[in-house]
Amino acid sequence: MLILGIDTSCDDTAAAVVENGSKIISNIVSSQTDIHKKYGGIVPELASRRHIELILPVVDEALKGAGAGLEDVSAVAVCHGPGLIGSLLIGCSFAKALCFSKNIPLLAVNHLEGHMFSCFLKEGSLAGETEFPPRIPEFPFISLIASGGHTSLYRVDGFGKYRELGRTRDDAAGEAYDKVSKLLGLGYPGGPVIDKLASEGNPKAIDFPRPYLPDSFDFSFSGLKTAVLHYLRAEEQKSAPPQPPLGKGGIEGGVFSELLNFCSTALIKNIAASFQACMVDVLVRKTEWALKKEGLRRITLSGGVSANSELRKRMKEMGDERETEVFIPSINLCTDNAAMIASAGYHHFLNKDFAEIDLNPKACLPL
Ligand code: KG4
Ligand code: ZN
């Protein structure tokens, strides 16, 4: 069974064709990074305008890449939230029109559920995989979703059976990466560049706080981000001659981006490595606590931050120590894509959980 997936929840226009919920036949992601990079983050209005231009060619390319027509597709699965409302509206309106005009069933998928099910995907013939069907997680498992908009831990007992154990109280993990990157003048998105620089720095160079929030599975990363800001301010004051006073932008304004001449490249690498060490310690340790508390031996890790090389390594090491299976999608499936929406959509289809044609997207949509 082929499902056409569509995701326009943020700044990527994505469409994919997936067979039986796991085998990727085609997977197209058109990134808008170049548009938003110069603003240091996503500009929602620009994102939705670009989705309008891209949605038709991207869906077309996904179908052509799969060698399929709409008549071969059993259903269209679309992400209906959470996300930027203007962006979500484009994908949802497009999917509804397609389904209505061609009489195809419509499936509504939560973006976080999509990330969770990215662990059930394999590139199949796309990546020349020999092992198929892929080894997919069995239920129950602990799921950590760490992305630009969300950081949450779930206990998952089956499709649709999700219990949230904890979530971020302020910044999401990816958001903290992006904001620290902005402070360091490294641009957007911050995760990949900090990941790279961190691999060349000393993770023990600076003792940033590790926000464990004991007695809770919640996360909080804004204090860690502020600690990086304070560290940079102190470094700036140490430097001579004195730098101009801080601008009014504060953290959001990337106050240091033009002034980072007080930091050597080696220091920036050490800051990146020390920040990343805190982030990874907290994410891995809290996942381990959740495993212990729930008495489980299976983890899935997904969302954009799961592309992080250190996090992938440390989560696998922790899994090995605890004789626990760890499932992490291949790097290109960690960040937003529509194959994950098609994968989750497949299970909605099996459950006959179809969406109505009056489906409306929601910016806030709990899982
Ligand atoms: O899942 P995603 O594509 O979008 C959301 O649903 O939010 O995640 C994007 C986030 C960005 O914050 C980006 O900086 C982060 O994932 N990210 C990374 C890495 N690659 C992307 N964070 C840490 N290390 C990476 N290698
Ligand atoms: Zn996402």
Side-chain angles (χ1 to χ4, degrees):
M1 179 201 299
L2 295 183
I3 305 256
L4 170 66
I6 295 177
D7 187 295
T8 59
S9 57
C10 195
D11 62 333
D12 292 318
T13 316
V17 175
V18 174
E19 187 182 319
N20 295 336
S22 76
K23 184 171 182 174
I24 301 178
I25 311 296
S26 68
N27 187 25
I28 308 296
V29 180
S30 179
S31 163
Q32 301 183 7
T33 304
D34 286 346
I35 295 175
H36 303 282
K37 211 158 54 183
K38 54 179 174 288
Y39 302 100
I42 295 157
V43 184
E45 182 60 25
L46 294 183
S48 32
R49 281 165 194 250
R50 192 68 184 134
H51 282 309
I52 294 176
E53 292 166 350
L54 288 171
I55 186 77
L56 189 55
V58 165
V59 169
D60 206 33
E61 203 180 328
L63 286 169
K64 282 196 180 121
L70 283 171
E71 62 285 0
D72 303 314
V73 162
S74 301
V76 175
V78 68
C79 167
H80 67 128
L84 300 172
I85 193 66
S87 293
L88 289 163
L89 269 166
I90 312 303
C92 282
S93 307
F94 185 88
K96 287 195 296 185
L98 202 61
C99 290
F100 184 69
S101 62
K102 296 287 178 187
N103 203 18
I104 304 172
L106 177 67
L107 306 161
V109 174
N110 183 304
H111 187 75
L112 297 174
E113 189 176 48
H115 274 304
M116 200 180 267
F117 278 80
S118 60
C119 293
F120 288 68
L121 287 167
K122 270 256 173 127
E123 269 91 342
S125 55
L126 273 188
E129 300 272 354
T130 47
E131 180 204 349
F132 209 87
R135 205 174 60 92
I136 55 172
E138 282 171 34
F139 300 106
F141 55 80
I142 295 293
S143 168
L144 172 65
I145 303 176
S147 71
H150 303 269
T151 301
S152 300
L153 265 173
Y154 297 90
R155 178 190 165 109
V156 181
D157 284 293
F159 180 76
K161 294 181 185 158
Y162 318 126
R163 181 155 59 83
E164 190 183 77
L165 304 172
R167 60 157 69 192
T168 183
R169 294 181 186 176
D170 39 58
D171 290 352
E175 188 180 355
Y177 266 96
D178 293 338
K179 287 180 174 170
V180 166
S181 173
K182 199 166 179 177
L183 286 176
L184 294 171
L186 299 172
Y188 173 86
V193 62
I194 291 187
D195 191 359
K196 184 173 179 301
L197 290 175
S199 66
E200 296 160 19
N202 174 5
K204 296 194 174 135
I206 307 154
D207 192 18
F208 290 130
R210 282 160 172 72
Y212 283 117
L213 308 185
D215 308 324
S216 164
F217 289 113
D218 284 351
F219 300 93
S220 168
F221 295 115
S222 75
L224 171 58
K225 166 197 72 190
T226 307
V228 176
L229 173 69
H230 288 161
Y231 182 86
L232 285 169
R233 278 189 174 152
E235 282 300 304
E236 189 192 27
Q237 285 186 353
K238 271 197 255 162
S239 71
Q243 298 294 322
L246 290 178
K248 40 184 160 19
I251 273 194
E252 304 296 339
V255 287
F256 296 105
S257 42
E258 292 136 43
L259 309 175
L260 273 177
N261 50 4
F262 59 84
C263 280
S264 65
T265 307
L267 180 59
I268 291 187
K269 288 178 179 173
N270 284 346
I271 295 171
S274 303
F275 161 77
Q276 178 159 290
C278 295
M279 192 56 108
V280 170
D281 278 353
V282 170
L283 291 173
V284 173
R285 184 70 68 84
K286 298 204 81 149
T287 307
E288 189 176 10
W289 290 349
L291 271 179
K292 244 196 238 176
K293 161 138 191 300
E294 297 296 322
L296 299 182
R297 289 188 177 275
R298 217 167 284 118
I299 303 168
T300 65
L301 168 63
S302 58
V305 180
S306 63
N308 186 269
S309 53
E310 186 64 18
L311 180 61
R312 297 169 81 87
K313 182 171 138 251
R314 290 274 307 283
M315 198 65 91
K316 282 179 188 155
E317 282 168 5
M318 184 270 278
D320 287 346
E321 276 163 28
R322 300 190 62 85
E323 294 180 3
T324 291
E325 286 184 290
V326 180
F327 295 85
I328 313 175
S330 57
I331 304 266
N332 65 317
L333 296 174
C334 292
T335 43
D336 289 350
N337 64 82
M340 65 187 200
I341 302 297
S343 174
Y346 170 75
H347 295 275
H348 283 278
F349 189 101
L350 294 184
N351 288 351
K352 299 191 173 49
D353 177 20
F354 298 107
E356 297 298 328
I357 210 69
D358 61 356
L359 173 74
N360 267 327
K362 292 200 170 71
C364 297
L365 184 66
L367 185 57

